[in-house]
Amino acid sequence: MEQLDTASASDRHNLVCYLGSMIITFFCFYGFNYLVTWLTIQKTGNPQTLGHVMALMMLPAIGLNLVAGQVLSHYSAKTIMFVTDILTALLFIGAYGWFEIRNWTITGLVVVAILNKSIGVFYKLGNKTALPELFASTRLKTINGYQTQIRQLAIVSATTIITGALLWLDPATLILIMGGAFGFSTWLDWQFQVSPSAPSPQGAKHSSYRSVALPKWALSYAVIGYLIDAVVAVCIPWIAVTYLQGHWQLSWLLTANALGILLGPVVFRRSKPDTLLTLTLSAGICLLFMRASLYQLLPMMLVLGVLRSQTNIQFFTHIQQMPTSNRHALMMWVLTIIDTSTVIGSLLAPRLILHLGSWALPMLGAVIVGFCLIKQAIDYHYR
């Protein structure tokens, strides 16, 4: 009984520290990204420029995921999270000093965003790998659900807070405040109590990355999902500015999507888990109805958010529960592949807009639906 009480106390301690760290990380990270995205749209109004900026922010992730996997084979996930939070705090504090000395520009902001994303690659891999070391396997889906909800709540709240704060504070001061918040997050990271049964990184580093079996079909659905996210992230702001001709409409659309992602874990909590194929097919069907009309886009953004949140929860829980002693290598390859798909989506979106205009999202949906139906037909044939 004493062991159960100790384990329960440890679990509660990890949950409080982990959720606290996530709240700070997501609020600051997405608040900063919103600052970059909104100013880029305001200054240029060009979807291609926004796509290029988002792609530049993602490009370091492709190669650095492989480096992060090697680093994680020598150091614990807890240590990686701790160090990356320190580096992010120093980056933002240094950026504040730089912008105070020189007038800030979008170019300077993008450079800081690229460095922030580069550090974040190591943090994200450490974060995803640390979960099985901190919590029981049966709780991973619940924790992933909490993380998804906090992430979206941070996105919605951060955009409102940043927009309001810019009325009184300059961007450099906001970046300094974020740097201080990341400094506090380092203390929370260090409080994690890792399970004694978790495999040590020293024990895993001798295993070959070639021995890691990637879940091919599950990974293909994740790739499609992140491709959807990247294309929507460029197309929706462009449609709001070009067709709907209003900034509040963009805020409503992003809020509807975030609300859907917040509701995702709640909607699916008591239902039988849907397969990744069903969720991906449903997301494709949702895109079919996303024309340049506020009354069509609002409900579809809400439904798409619900579907995407559940897809991510199902996928990462599946990866984290896989029986492997080399989990850091498996997660490394998974994140490398899905980050690459995000870059491709960011570069693809402006070209879809250029050739298809407001039909860009419906046409992407048609391709995804076709792929899923072919996969379903193949599965039915070989049953």
Side-chain angles (χ1 to χ4, degrees), residues 228-308:
I228 291 174
D229 291 344
V231 173
V232 167
V234 176
C235 286
I236 290 300
W238 177 79
I239 289 174
V241 172
T242 305
Y243 284 87
L244 305 182
Q245 297 182 345
H247 301 305
W248 282 110
Q249 286 86 334
L250 175 59
S251 176
W252 293 339
L253 292 171
L254 296 179
T255 300
N257 186 247
L259 180 61
I261 296 178
L262 277 169
L263 292 175
V266 178
V267 171
F268 287 93
R269 179 174 295 170
R270 297 186 181 279
S271 63
K272 182 180 178 181
D274 288 282
T275 65
L276 291 174
L277 174 58
T278 302
L279 293 168
T280 305
L281 175 60
S282 301
I285 293 173
C286 191
L287 291 177
L288 290 175
F289 296 94
M290 295 182 70
R291 290 293 313 283
S293 164
L294 182 63
Y295 299 107
Q296 283 184 271
L297 288 174
L298 269 177
M300 290 302 103
M301 287 289 281
L302 177 69
V303 174
L304 186 64
V306 172
L307 295 171
R308 288 295 301 124

Side-chain angles (χ1 to χ4, degrees), residues 78-95:
K78 170 184 171 179
T79 301
I80 297 298
M81 292 175 67
F82 175 78
V83 172
T84 50
D85 269 343
I86 289 178
L87 292 176
T88 305
L90 293 176
L91 172 66
F92 281 10
I93 293 171

